[in-house]
Amino acid sequence: RTPAEGTSKGHMNSAAEDAKEQGNACMASADYVGAMTSYTRALSFAPKEASLFSNRSFAFLKLSLPARALADAEEAIRRRPEWPKGHFRKAEALRAAGLHEDALEYYARGAELDPSDEHLRSQCDASRLRASAQQRQERLLVTAATGAGLLFFALLALTDGGAGHAKLVGVAGLGAVLGALAGVGATALR
């Protein structure tokens, strides 16, 4: 293996290599728990090996654990910042978490590190589309929440109420503002 593949010469002993190969076999047979366990065991023998963090990140993704996948991808990048696959793994974890703009950033970093990688470039394009769709959806959410609050406010303002009517209209106005803020807040949390 070459350093570009994520393995630095001298960092993996035979026990780590054996555990990594077991993990690879588990991945090939869709035994993602077994793969994660094998890569964890390999890391106990070679705790600085970026390729092991990258492989375990992939296993975590297959187990629908994007936060764990992200942590391992970040560790792979920390250990080998110029390795495109670490950036790809981080982008994949961010995509799985629904953070498409952030994913685009890491797909692009990986593509910058390896301009010949067609897959990374195509993922950049796909991520751009997902990020754009997510932004449109967030704008619609803010608009819908604001519109619902304003509609409720208008309906209450137009009704002929009794003694508590003015207070109710004030509460409805507050509801419109809170609806808008909720939409903006939901967008910000993404």
Side-chain angles (χ1 to χ4, degrees):
R1 292 180 189 255
T2 65
E5 292 173 326
T7 301
S8 302
K9 291 185 185 237
H11 283 217
M12 290 218 315
N13 59 34
S14 64
E17 278 289 345
D18 290 346
K20 180 181 179 182
E21 291 307 316
Q22 287 174 348
N24 292 347
C26 288
M27 287 297 289
S29 66
D31 175 11
Y32 305 124
V33 172
M36 181 266 308
T37 303
S38 295
Y39 295 137
T40 300
R41 188 171 56 255
L43 279 163
S44 73
F45 298 115
K48 296 180 180 180
E49 186 54 49
S51 67
L52 297 175
F53 285 102
S54 173
N55 289 2
R56 191 171 68 175
S57 174
F58 187 42
F60 282 135
L61 270 179
K62 291 296 193 173
L63 291 168
S64 299
L65 298 169
R68 301 283 304 269
L70 180 60
D72 273 4
E74 287 174 339
E75 188 62 24
I77 291 170
R78 189 176 79 72
R79 296 192 178 282
R80 301 225 26 185
E82 300 303 314
W83 188 41
K85 195 169 202 175
H87 296 277
F88 172 75
R89 294 285 189 229
K90 184 169 182 176
E92 290 285 286
L94 290 165
R95 180 194 52 78
L99 301 170
H100 301 297
E101 286 184 49
D102 295 331
L104 174 57
E105 177 184 344
Y106 284 91
Y107 285 128
R109 284 186 188 179
E112 284 173 18
L113 291 169
D114 186 0
S116 67
D117 190 324
E118 290 291 328
H119 182 66
L120 273 171
R121 286 203 316 258
S122 71
Q123 287 301 326
C124 284
D125 293 340
S127 191
R128 243 182 238 100
L129 292 173
R130 286 188 295 267
S132 178
Q134 184 176 30
Q135 288 171 348
R136 281 191 306 277
Q137 183 180 21
E138 289 168 353
R139 284 192 301 270
L140 282 172
L141 177 64
V142 170
T143 301
T146 302
L150 290 173
L151 179 63
F152 183 63
F153 174 73
L155 288 173
L156 283 175
L158 293 174
T159 60
D160 185 27
H165 183 69
K167 187 175 183 181
L168 191 57
V169 169
V171 169
L174 179 60
V177 170
L178 291 177
L181 289 175
V184 171
T187 300
L189 288 176
R190 285 187 174 254

